[in-house]
Amino acid sequence: VYGVWVNQNNFVPRQGEVFFAATSSGQSITTAGDSFYDLTFNGTSGGWSFTETTLSVSNNIRFQAGSATLPTGTTTVAGSFDATGGTFLHNNGTIAFTSNGAETITFAGSLFTNVAYNLAFSGSGGSWAMSDTNATATNAVRISLGAVTFPTGAFAIGNYLADVGGSFVGNNGTVRMYSGTTGTITSGGSSFSNLRFHGAGTFSFVDANATVLEDITFVQGTTILPTGTLTIGGSYDNNASVTAGTGSVVFNSTDSAR
């Protein structure tokens, strides 16, 4: 498709792929609630936006060239997400991953380019591997079902991390909380590899207990520790403000250089 897409009735995607290949900006897409199967943006210098607040992709979405602005509501992706070569703008919306199988997520950005606003994972039996070294969700990450493998570098999260039914794997990376206001962390029994508080806001743990396998670092803001036990396998470095509350901090490293 080299221009706009307007659906005034219904379309059935079957198992096909729709390519948006325009080389100019100002292209609009209206789905009328119908789902794409595979969706790819590959027009050099193309620019696309969605007229509706939601988008549904039954399999994979790819951004290979140009720039696509996602809906302000929810973009539901039942497959993989790959922005290698292209650009996506989150538009303060949610990217919701719903697969029941193994998928990959490639933002192909850095800490603050090609970033998400909200990320949600809710696929029963689903697993998602974030293939970038670094990735960012500027507001919230919620894991309701399935397992998410975090980036190997820094996973920057603006305000909220909520593992409320699924799980995450730290993958030797660092979860970096950087809210300037108020943020909460619910790890749901999953363990962080490294955890760093790098915003001027106030952070608190929702769970009674939390585990950091390696280092925990407090650079800015105020952090309220869990009411139960915070287990740390590495170093503890506080250059900000920490409120201990009534909980315990347990250091269990077997490495003397901590």
Side-chain angles (χ1 to χ4, degrees):
V1 180
Y2 289 93
V4 302
W5 176 287
V6 180
N7 179 26
Q8 295 180 331
N9 195 350
N10 295 102
F11 66 85
V12 178
R14 294 195 288 184
Q15 292 184 336
E17 184 166 7
V18 175
F19 289 86
F20 286 96
T23 56
S24 60
S25 61
Q27 310 300 328
S28 62
I29 301 171
T30 302
T31 67
D34 290 336
S35 300
F36 295 102
Y37 184 73
D38 284 325
L39 179 60
T40 297
F41 300 90
N42 67 346
T44 302
S45 300
W48 302 269
S49 62
F50 293 87
T51 63
E52 297 144 318
T53 58
T54 60
L55 167 67
S56 178
V57 180
S58 300
N59 197 39
N60 301 322
I61 186 169
R62 304 178 182 90
F63 307 84
Q64 296 177 340
S67 177
T69 300
L70 297 180
T72 58
T74 301
T75 297
T76 302
V77 180
S80 294
F81 185 107
D82 188 353
T84 303
T87 301
F88 69 92
L89 304 175
H90 62 61
N91 207 14
N92 291 341
T94 297
I95 303 173
F97 293 96
T98 60
S99 176
N100 297 323
E103 309 294 349
T104 58
I105 299 171
T106 306
F107 287 162
S110 61
L111 281 177
F112 298 105
T113 59
N114 268 16
V115 303
Y117 184 69
N118 295 318
L119 288 175
F121 300 89
S122 61
S124 177
S127 65
W128 300 268
M130 302 182 75
S131 63
D132 300 293
T133 300
N134 302 311
T136 297
T138 61
N139 188 45
V141 176
R142 183 178 179 86
I143 306 169
S144 301
L145 291 169
V148 184
T149 300
F150 287 171
T152 57
F155 187 17
I157 300 173
N159 295 306
Y160 309 103
L161 170 61
D163 182 357
V164 293
S167 63
F168 64 80
V169 178
N171 202 20
N172 295 321
T174 299
V175 173
R176 177 183 172 187
M177 305 297 298
Y178 70 95
S179 175
T181 55
T182 301
T184 59
I185 299 172
T186 305
S187 57
S190 297
S191 298
F192 298 94
S193 290
N194 298 279
L195 183 58
R196 184 179 180 93
F197 296 90
H198 207 281
T202 298
F203 307 90
S204 60
F205 287 86
V206 175
D207 300 297
N209 304 309
T211 300
V212 181
L213 300 176
E214 292 294 331
D215 301 336
I216 186 168
T217 306
F218 308 90
V219 179
Q220 286 180 292
T222 299
T223 302
I224 302 170
L225 299 185
T227 57
T229 301
L230 173 61
T231 303
I232 302 171
S235 297
Y236 178 105
D237 187 1
N238 179 24
N239 295 295
S241 175
V242 175
T243 301
T246 59
S248 301
V249 176
V250 174
F251 294 93
N252 66 353
S253 175
T254 58
D255 185 351
S256 61
R258 297 293 184 178

